[in-house]
């Protein structure tokens, strides 16, 4: 069950639909207006290679809802043609394309829903090699119809590049950093003298003729005045009245004269 058309008896129908889809893709003036989508793992590498070789726009992985309908988001696109790997897995993209009148080309199996699919290419989409080979054939025919690759020569791209490849345990492990061996002259070279930064501080100070005493610097601020101190010329009690006179009594008057 790993062939291209394992569930169909007529491979000719598959080839005719493939040529029809290639003609539609080649008729788009701007190759970037063709959007290829695959949310399944076994088709993500194929759509990336297809976009590389034909100039299309690839969406590999999860399809963000609103890519074709929500103009606010940064991933908004306005493609003229949509090519999907699996109608069941890529149903969100097919549904949004129906809202904005985008034609859809899809690889379909016997149990695949064909609603909103304009061109269905019958093939086996359950096999890794079948999906990769179908994308490779479609890319080769598109390049031939555009004139990028002549039909007289063989396309130098192998179909293995479109196949999904699982990483092994050895590839998942981080590669060890190779040890760098020092040069042979490094062992024979004479050791370099390392200057001691504390050598200068360890030297004793030369004796001085004058004793090393700490002298406080002169203050630049004026001397603090003592407000509680009495003035030198004063000493008088301001609370005492001058002359000891009683301001409440009248001056003495001699009434006998």
């Amino acid at each position: 069950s790993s062939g291209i058309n394992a569930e169909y008896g007529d491979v000719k129908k598959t080839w005719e639909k493939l040529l029809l889809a290639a003609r539609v893709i080649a008729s788009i003036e701007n190759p970037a207006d063709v959007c290829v989508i695959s949310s399944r793992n076994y088709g993500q590498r194929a759509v990336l290679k297809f976009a590389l070789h034909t100039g299309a726009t690839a969406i590999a992985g999860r399809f963000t809802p609103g890519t074709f309908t929500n103009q606010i988001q940064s991933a908004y696109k306005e493609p003229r043609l949509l090519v999907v790997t699996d109608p069941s897995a890529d149903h969100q993209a097919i549904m949004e394309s129906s809202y904005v009148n985008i034609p859809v080309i899809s690889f379909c199996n016997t149990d695949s829903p064909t609603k909103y699919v304009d061109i269905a290419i019958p093939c086996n989409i359950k096999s890794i090699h079948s999906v990769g080979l179908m994308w490779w054939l479609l890319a080769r025919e598109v390049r031939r119809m555009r004139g990028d690759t002549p039909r007289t020569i063989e396309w130098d791209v192998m179909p293995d590049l479109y196949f999904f490849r699982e990483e092994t345990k050895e590839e998942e492990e981080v590669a060890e950093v190779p040890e760098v061996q020092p040069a042979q002259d490094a062992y024979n070279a004479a050791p370099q003298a390392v200057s001691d930064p504390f050598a200068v501080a360890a030297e004793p100070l030369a004796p001085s003729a004058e004793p090393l005493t700490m002298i406080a610097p002169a203050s630049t601020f004026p001397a603090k005045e003592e407000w509680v101190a009495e003035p030198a010329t004063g000493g008088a009690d301001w609370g005492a009245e001058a002359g000891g006179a009683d301001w409440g009594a009248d001056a003495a008057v001699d009434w006998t004269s």
Side-chain angles (χ1 to χ4, degrees):
S1 62
S2 60
I4 297 178
N5 205 355
E7 299 184 7
Y8 294 90
D10 194 356
V11 184
K12 184 179 179 180
K13 295 293 184 181
T14 302
W15 179 249
E16 290 177 356
K17 290 290 186 178
L18 186 70
L19 293 179
L20 177 60
R23 291 192 190 98
V24 174
I25 296 174
S27 63
I28 305 297
E29 294 83 1
N30 185 11
D33 290 339
V34 179
C35 186
V36 291
I37 298 176
S38 177
S39 59
R40 296 287 180 87
N41 294 333
Y42 54 78
Q44 293 179 7
R45 188 181 184 187
V47 297
L48 291 175
K49 294 295 182 180
F50 182 89
L52 177 64
H53 295 145
T54 61
T57 303
I59 300 179
R62 180 180 179 272
F63 178 81
T64 304
T67 302
F68 300 152
T69 56
N70 188 4
Q71 301 181 4
I72 300 177
Q73 62 175 339
S74 59
Y76 175 73
K77 294 180 177 58
E78 291 181 307
R80 295 185 57 189
L81 182 64
L82 186 65
V83 185
V84 300
T85 304
D86 188 356
S88 300
D90 304 323
H91 62 90
Q92 180 67 29
I94 296 176
M95 183 65 66
E96 290 189 9
S97 65
S98 65
Y99 297 156
V100 291
N101 297 326
I102 299 176
V104 178
I105 299 174
S106 176
F107 298 103
C108 297
N109 210 334
T110 53
D111 57 348
S112 299
T114 58
K115 189 176 182 179
Y116 303 124
V117 175
D118 298 287
I119 299 177
I121 304 175
C123 63
N124 182 16
I125 61 175
K126 297 180 181 179
S127 173
I128 296 175
H129 300 88
S130 175
V131 171
L133 183 58
M134 292 300 298
W135 278 106
W136 180 83
L137 290 172
L138 185 61
R140 188 186 65 173
E141 291 302 318
V142 169
R143 290 180 60 88
R144 286 179 174 179
M145 291 181 181
R146 288 177 178 172
D148 299 335
T149 303
R151 293 184 180 272
T152 56
I153 62 175
E154 191 69 23
W155 194 25
D156 55 353
V157 177
M158 300 298 295
D160 299 351
L161 296 177
Y162 285 69
F163 295 164
F164 172 73
R165 183 172 59 88
E166 297 181 359
E167 295 183 357
T168 59
K169 294 182 179 180
E170 291 78 6
E171 295 176 349
E172 293 177 357
E173 295 178 357
V174 181
E176 298 180 359
V177 180
E179 298 181 359
V180 179
Q181 298 294 337
Q184 189 67 21
D185 299 340
Y187 295 99
N188 303 329
Q192 299 179 359
V194 181
S195 59
D196 189 3
F198 302 99
V200 179
E203 297 179 359
L205 299 176
S208 178
E210 298 180 0
L212 301 178
T213 57
M214 298 184 62
I215 301 176
S219 177
T220 57
F221 296 95
K224 183 178 180 181
E225 298 179 1
E226 189 69 27
W227 297 95
V228 296
E230 296 180 357
T233 57
D237 188 3
W238 294 95
E241 298 177 356
D246 187 3
W247 295 94
D250 296 337
V253 180
D254 188 6
W255 299 97
T256 58
S257 58

